[in-house]
Amino acid sequence: MRILFLTHAFNSLTQRLYVELTALGHEISIEFDINDSVTTEAVELFRPHLILAPYLRRAIPEAIWREHVCLIVHPGIVGDRGPSALDWAILNGEKEWGVTVLQAEAEMDAGPVWASETFPMRAAKKSSLYRNEVTEAAVRAVQAALSRLPDYRAGTWQPQSVPLRPMHAIMQQGNRAIDWERDATATVLAKLDCADGFPGVRDSLFGRTCQLYDGRAFPARGRPGELLGRAGEGVVRATADGAVWIGHCKVEGGIKLPVGGVFPEVAGLEEMLPTTNPPQPPFYKGGSDSNGILGVPPFEKGGTGGIPMDPDITYEESASVGYLHFDFYNGAMGTAACERLLSAYEAARQRPTKVIVLLGGADFFSNGLDLNRIEAADSPPDESWRNINAMDDLCRAIITTDSHLTVSALRGNAGAGGAFLALAADRVWARRGVILNPHYKNMGNLYGSEYWSYLLPRRVGVDQAQAILRNRLPLGAESATTMGFLDEAFGEDLAGFEAETRRRAQALAEAADFAEQLREKNRRRAEDEAAKPLENCRAEELKHMQRNFYGFDPSYHVARHHFVGKTPHSWTPRHLAVHRDLGWVVPGDSGEVSG
Ligand code: COA
């Protein structure tokens, strides 16, 4: 089928559906919902059998839904209606939530239901629920809806009209406002979570109004509302029954940054993370636990066990495997983040283990350079240069590890340099639903580094490498495995993937031929080095990057500025809007399904 995606943006859910439906053999073209005439034109050009709206903020024009089957993916349970659906579900403490695929009609979210799915709610940020539970449920519901199309066409099946709940309003800042005197930690977190990553909670810090993001429970107490200190670049603020850590904020007219990057006052607060015992990563709690776990959990939801040593990086060990977690906000890895991770990695390398597993974060493995920090720097070109060099240092340390076998285990999506960072390890595993964007060009024709010119072709071949970089399309884990980008994709959900990763990593460490595998890896590395030294790859890549950062063409700086500032799209990129390709012709078939 030809399916037109009508969407506000090519966001993670839209990308996942694109990957899944393409794999099923459908032809997908994308049009951003910019205005009604553009939408009408897209429909005329593509003549779709179906229009799918994975992420829409406005109603579909009547002339279109009357003539075509238009299915809307609504992030709410059956009968739920209106904007801010997930925000309300979090704030209202719903125990179960869901996704409904419904047909567009005159009244918003009121059309008959084609398919629906539910899931248990988890105490997590809205963006995390959206990238995990909502996305998985949406994939299942859209597939179910599509499977009903033949019967619908044959007139043997009709979508169901359902009793509707009252339409909820768009959530306002007043609904999210934190009462620091009275709200307990769980309430504060629900308010922060339901607003993360957009629009944040309006509050104030150091006497200045700002939006708050990235809240986590912190094991401390104090006078409610009081700023108790800092932890890394975030601040710790007392609630009615405990404390929360707030990692990011945004002031009027500014961009989202670590709190310490916005307010110099943070540096004057007392550091609440233990910095001396021991002074170096990998952040031991002090000696081995009875269960052999050395690491300290990050600030888990509601968890007060363990003293966090680094807000983003934790290390743990089990049997002969070291696990390095790095959960940087939005997967963005700035210069200091890369340096901290490198020293944690070096320390992990000193341990008497056999395998090191790079786990990234739960929502993102990595998204490469921290574009927000670069944008906010005094000199974005200089900060870009420092950041890419710090990233390359980290990649080199992983590539040249001769003491361990290394594994990248992608629990969440990876983009740009973050996807190539994953390839620095000997084995690359991913959760089945992970989406990869292993290309740089969308960021103003950025050339990219992270030793991709060495890592990518050796995995997928030269032609495929060029195609991946040129096409700028998301890759699903399954097809990435087929082409050799990944070694394996497994696990239906996060917990399943983590458990299986641990089992496989341990099996790798205990393999009878472990020593042989390590020798073989080192032999291959030496051979590759003799053929072309890593330093040469890096120098070549960086020569292009230097031009991107300091050269005459400002495309990278312009693209980054728009990305960070979230400039609305004014057109759909041609590589997504297939129907706007000059060479594209409607295949001669029987045409549309009427509505
Ligand atoms: N630096 C800073 N912030 C980043 C980031 C980066 N490299 N990559 C993503 N983010 C932020 C986004 O701004 C967004 O912020 P929000 O919390 O304010 O909404 C959030 O992470 C989620 O990103 P979004 O683009 O909405 O997610 P997605 O799943 O739809 O798309 C990517 C994922 C990776 C395709 C997209 O984020 C992207 O292109 N990132 C830039 C990658 C890049 O060019 N890196 C630099 C070169 S190495």
Side-chain angles (χ1 to χ4, degrees):
M1 269 195 296
R2 283 191 304 280
I3 305 178
L4 180 70
F5 280 14
L6 183 59
T7 184
H8 180 73
F10 198 37
N11 71 346
S12 55
L13 170 58
T14 312
Q15 292 185 18
R16 176 72 187 282
L17 288 169
Y18 173 87
V19 160
E20 297 287 346
L21 300 191
T22 303
L24 288 176
H26 299 299
E27 188 176 6
I28 314 292
S29 193
I30 296 162
E31 189 68 58
F32 290 164
D33 177 37
I34 290 160
N35 68 45
D36 291 355
S37 63
V38 172
T39 303
T40 307
E41 189 182 69
V43 173
E44 278 165 9
L45 284 170
F46 195 52
R47 292 184 45 223
H49 298 100
L50 176 74
I51 297 171
L52 185 70
Y55 170 47
L56 208 55
R57 294 195 181 164
R58 299 183 325 138
I60 296 179
E62 180 170 351
I64 291 179
W65 61 254
R66 281 213 185 276
E67 291 297 318
H68 302 265
V69 177
C70 297
L71 298 183
I72 313 268
V73 179
H74 175 70
I77 51 175
V78 172
D80 179 79
R81 294 195 300 153
S84 315
L86 203 45
D87 310 44
W88 286 113
I90 297 170
L91 196 62
N92 294 339
E94 302 285 354
K95 297 278 175 283
E96 187 176 78
W97 202 239
V99 169
T100 306
V101 174
L102 43 88
Q103 192 163 345
E105 278 194 353
E107 207 182 333
M108 194 175 174
D109 298 338
V113 171
W114 278 65
S116 65
E117 288 283 333
T118 57
F119 52 82
M121 281 289 266
R122 175 170 58 96
K125 294 186 181 104
K126 175 174 63 173
S127 50
S128 178
L129 288 165
Y130 188 79
R131 285 205 168 76
N132 292 284
E133 285 85 345
V134 169
T135 298
E136 296 301 330
V139 169
R140 292 194 303 273
V142 166
Q143 284 172 350
L146 259 54
S147 72
R148 286 169 189 150
L149 256 177
D151 288 342
Y152 175 79
R153 279 179 180 158
T156 53
W157 181 85
Q158 281 294 314
Q160 295 298 306
S161 290
V162 295
L164 298 173
R165 294 176 158 208
M167 169 93 93
H168 40 228
I170 190 160
M171 191 181 277
Q172 304 292 333
Q173 282 299 335
N175 303 114
R176 308 180 200 266
I178 298 171
D179 181 343
W180 289 101
E181 294 292 324
R182 291 199 189 83
D183 287 349
T185 298
T187 308
V188 174
L189 285 179
K191 288 176 175 176
L192 289 166
D193 283 348
C194 80
D196 213 300
F198 178 82
V201 171
R202 189 181 306 133
D203 203 278
S204 71
L205 283 170
F206 306 100
R208 196 161 165 207
T209 303
C210 57
Q211 313 286 121
L212 306 182
Y213 309 86
D214 190 15
R216 310 183 214 174
F218 193 92
R221 285 200 85 114
R223 192 165 47 76
E226 189 185 1
L227 274 188
L228 302 175
R230 69 185 167 97
E233 291 182 282
V235 289
V236 178
R237 191 161 184 183
T239 63
D241 65 347
V244 292
W245 180 85
I246 296 161
H248 282 71
C249 71
K250 179 162 112 89
V251 291
E252 182 73 32
I255 57 176
K256 199 191 278 187
L257 286 170
V259 179
V262 175
F263 294 104
E265 294 92 327
V266 172
L269 298 175
E270 188 198 342
E271 173 57 76
M272 297 182 76
L273 296 179
T275 49
T276 51
N277 182 28
Q280 290 299 315
F283 318 115
Y284 295 150
K285 194 156 47 176
S288 175
D289 281 348
S290 52
N291 62 5
I293 305 274
L294 291 170
V296 180
F299 323 117
E300 276 156 4
K301 286 273 166 265
T304 50
I307 306 159
M309 300 277 192
D310 183 299
D312 309 308
I313 304 172
T314 49
Y315 173 81
E316 44 151 328
E317 253 172 40
S318 178
S320 294
V321 185
Y323 296 92
L324 198 50
H325 304 243
F326 43 101
D327 205 349
F328 300 108
Y329 188 67
N330 283 338
M333 294 174 54
T335 307
C338 294
E339 289 169 354
R340 270 157 50 218
L341 186 53
L342 175 59
S343 59
Y345 181 78
E346 296 290 8
R349 224 159 76 157
Q350 302 309 314
R351 297 288 304 160
T353 48
K354 290 177 159 180
V355 172
I356 299 174
V357 181
L358 306 170
L359 277 166
D363 290 328
F364 291 107
F365 179 79
S366 169
N367 278 331
L369 308 186
D370 188 335
L371 299 169
N372 287 39
R373 285 182 197 249
I374 290 172
E375 184 70 14
D378 290 339
S379 163
D382 288 353
E383 188 48 37
S384 301
W385 185 250
R386 275 193 290 271
N387 200 162
I388 195 61
N389 275 286
M391 193 68 154
D392 281 356
D393 290 347
L394 173 65
C395 292
R396 183 180 53 201
I398 300 166
I399 297 170
T400 57
T401 296
D402 56 7
S403 51
H404 291 70
L405 287 181
T406 55
V407 178
S408 289
L410 280 68
R411 296 180 288 173
N413 298 348
F420 296 106
L421 166 67
L423 299 193
D426 306 318
R427 309 272 194 282
V428 192
W429 304 337
R431 181 172 58 79
R432 247 190 216 123
V434 152
I435 294 291
L436 303 159
N437 276 284
H439 45 82
Y440 301 91
K441 279 196 186 314
N442 284 345
M443 202 50 65
N445 245 347
L446 198 63
Y447 187 79
S449 190
E450 288 95 6
Y451 301 92
W452 71 260
S453 58
Y454 167 59
L455 297 170
L456 187 59
R458 84 174 178 153
R459 277 195 159 261
V460 303
V462 173
D463 292 348
Q464 186 71 266
Q466 279 168 358
I468 290 174
L469 293 168
R470 191 181 52 237
N471 293 344
R472 296 180 282 154
L473 288 170
L475 277 182
E478 303 279 351
S479 58
T481 307
T482 309
M483 64 176 67
F485 189 96
L486 297 173
D487 293 303
E488 282 172 289
F490 49 86
E492 294 309 321
D493 57 18
L494 211 54
F497 176 70
E498 283 185 18
E500 183 59 16
T501 292
R502 284 171 195 270
R503 200 191 60 71
R504 289 180 189 223
Q506 190 147 342
L508 188 59
E510 287 166 3
D513 66 345
F514 177 85
E516 209 173 295
Q517 290 194 53
L518 189 60
R519 254 196 318 276
E520 171 55 21
K521 153 194 165 150
N522 291 332
R523 187 200 58 73
R524 185 173 175 204
R525 175 83 279 284
E527 196 179 281
D528 291 352
E529 186 67 20
K532 181 168 183 180
L534 275 181
E535 278 320 292
N536 291 9
C537 296
R538 178 167 172 164
E540 282 171 18
E541 290 169 3
L542 288 182
K543 209 165 137 206
H544 289 274
M545 289 293 257
Q546 197 170 25
R547 226 172 283 148
N548 288 141
F549 299 158
Y550 295 100
F552 179 68
D553 176 1
S555 299
Y556 155 71
H557 298 293
V558 172
R560 188 196 62 239
H561 182 74
H562 290 306
F563 176 81
V564 162
K566 308 206 182 299
T567 309
H569 300 287
S570 47
W571 49 280
T572 311
R574 279 291 162 90
H575 69 287
L576 302 179
V578 175
H579 53 279
R580 293 190 184 278
D581 227 1
L582 290 179
W584 193 82
V585 217
V586 183
D589 73 350
S590 57
E592 305 105 38
V593 177
S594 65

